[in-house]
Amino acid sequence: MSEEQMRSYIIDKDSYDKNILVEAGAGAGKTRLIIQRVIGQIGAGIPVEKIVLITFTNAAANELYERIQAGLTENIAKCSGEEKKLYENAVMNLQRMKISTIHSFCLSMLSEQPFEADLHLGLKLAEDGETKQAQADFFERYYRTNGANIEDFGFLNSNQYKLRDSRVKNFLMETFLECAEYRDVEFVRDKSYDSVTFDTINKLAYKEMCNYRDSLVRAFYNGALGGKYEDIAGFVVGDVTKFFPDNMNVYDPKYNYVKVCANLKACKKFLEPFNKTKIKKDHPKSNENMAIFSPSGFDNVKKENALYALNKTATYIEQAVKAYQESEDGESVSNDGLLYHTHELLKNSSEARAFFKNKYSCIYIDEFQDTDVMQTELLLYLCADDSKLIAGGDIWQCPLRDGALFAVGDPKQSIYGFRDADIRLYNKMKAKFQNNNEKNCEFFSLDYNFRSDEQLIAWVNEKFQPEINGKYGMTYSDMISKADKPAAVSDDVIRGAYFVKDPGAESVAKIISDLVNGRKIFDNGVERPIRYSDFLLLLWNFDYCFCMDSFKCIRSYLFAGKICCFYCDFL
């Protein structure tokens, strides 16, 4: 099918019994397709209360509601008879259509089936601040009765003095708060470290320190560095060995892992000038000589310390998180708790699945590329054909019931990995829809872009194609610009994307000044001069622009709020 035919089919009644996944980029009209298809289903007799639209934000949900309402109203004016009555009834009852974020949708389902979900009546969503405070209060109580053994957490010591209990507690609470909200968090550790104590790490570090000292002494006294340095060998070795204990044949407990790290760092710093100015100059090709100035063997000690720290921390936090989740009263839940309880409800209760499948006949989901494992699986449980669902089986292997799911997404816009969104899930769902065995599933890739002109689309294709092809299990499909072309474009209008070879502050300031003083842009199809308020500056930190002399020419506009600035510490 051509793209025009695909778009027509997607909104046609012949597709209403199909499960459809649409892959399309920004500006492809994905939201418009959703709206046209929903209105078409209403015109075909599907009640508004049987349709669910899930989107990413409340603002997007409100926009969908308004646009569907406007479309229905427009159809009322164009239609007559029974079809007109369907649209009129839909407008009057549109508030009964579930248009929301997935968290709000989950809250409504749990509120309807609280006993099946083992929750209280009157379930409410806990505010983020309330959830964090409740978790912190729980950990305070938990730590009082299940305090950690301080000696097990010696890796937290940032100095050579005795580790304080408050340091251990604060570290564990911070880690606990990061994990407590995530019901599906998996604690990965090497259990072979269960019997290891931090004293083992201390002795391993001490042994490596002894080996390093011996290598230094041998290097200077056996002539490995050439006779040129034999006259100062005693001086250098004498100064270096002050970082080590006098008798290295017997383990000295005061030389723990932290002190060893500090001493080796100090030793390396002491030798650094000697290394750079003398040894490298006289022996530029001697890798063996260079190696003595960096205790590379200590890398293994650091690795052992990291694995030990991971095991001890994960063991304690896993028990604390389990205790917290068992202590929840079921009256209020966090956002992640909503997903978890809904997932478990649909997974374990065939009665709940039957109830919601009878209530909702078609579920639409926007921005599908940003869903995580729990969100994706609970949608699959809602849309699965229960007659073919095997108890305890893989939900991904179960066929979907006819016309239950309509999803749209764009893998290029998958940017929520930090919130557990996983592009591999999207690819897995795409493979399911492309599977010939899934007779009622269809996949469509749309390339048209109605928002951006040819110059910008050409740049996007050029930049994204090498980044995506062969990576993430995807193949990039070039977008095609279908945006309306302006009747005429003057030479001083800037269009497309531009790169600056010299990204320095002075160049940026000059570009902004030049553009404001003489260039134009299109604004709603009309040419107009560029203004300072049109610019957005992304900086490493907000002080960056104010501390550089070369930004003086635009500082007044920054202070006046006419140029929008953000600092991006994640770049």
Side-chain angles (χ1 to χ4, degrees), residues 10 43 76 137 142 180 238 254 326 338 351 421 436 463 466 533 556 560:
I10 287 170
I76 290 173
D137 291 344
Y142 182 85
K254 74 178 181 180
E326 290 175 349
L338 288 174
E351 291 82 3
N436 291 330
K463 298 304 175 185
S533 57
S556 59

Side-chain angles (χ1 to χ4, degrees), residues 472-544:
Y472 317 110
M474 296 187 295
T475 300
Y476 184 78
S477 180
D478 282 349
M479 291 192 291
I480 301 169
S481 175
K482 290 291 181 177
D484 293 335
K485 295 180 174 60
V489 181
S490 58
D491 292 338
D492 53 0
V493 171
I494 64 169
R495 305 171 68 197
Y498 299 82
F499 281 96
V500 182
K501 292 183 178 179
D502 177 11
E506 187 172 351
S507 296
V508 174
K510 187 176 186 303
I511 289 169
I512 293 176
S513 179
D514 290 347
L515 290 175
V516 171
N517 295 295
R519 300 301 293 272
K520 297 179 180 179
I521 58 172
F522 275 109
D523 188 354
N524 293 321
V526 179
E527 292 183 22
R528 68 161 175 82
I530 296 175
R531 299 188 289 257
Y532 283 103
S533 57
D534 294 324
F535 292 92
L536 168 67
L537 301 181
L538 295 178
L539 311 171
W540 286 103
N541 60 69
F542 198 69
D543 293 331
Y544 184 74

Side-chain angles (χ1 to χ4, degrees), residues 75-88:
N75 277 18
I76 290 173
K78 294 189 299 184
C79 300
S80 60
E82 187 63 30
E83 189 177 9
K84 182 175 182 177
K85 289 181 181 180
L86 288 171
Y87 290 131
E88 288 175 337

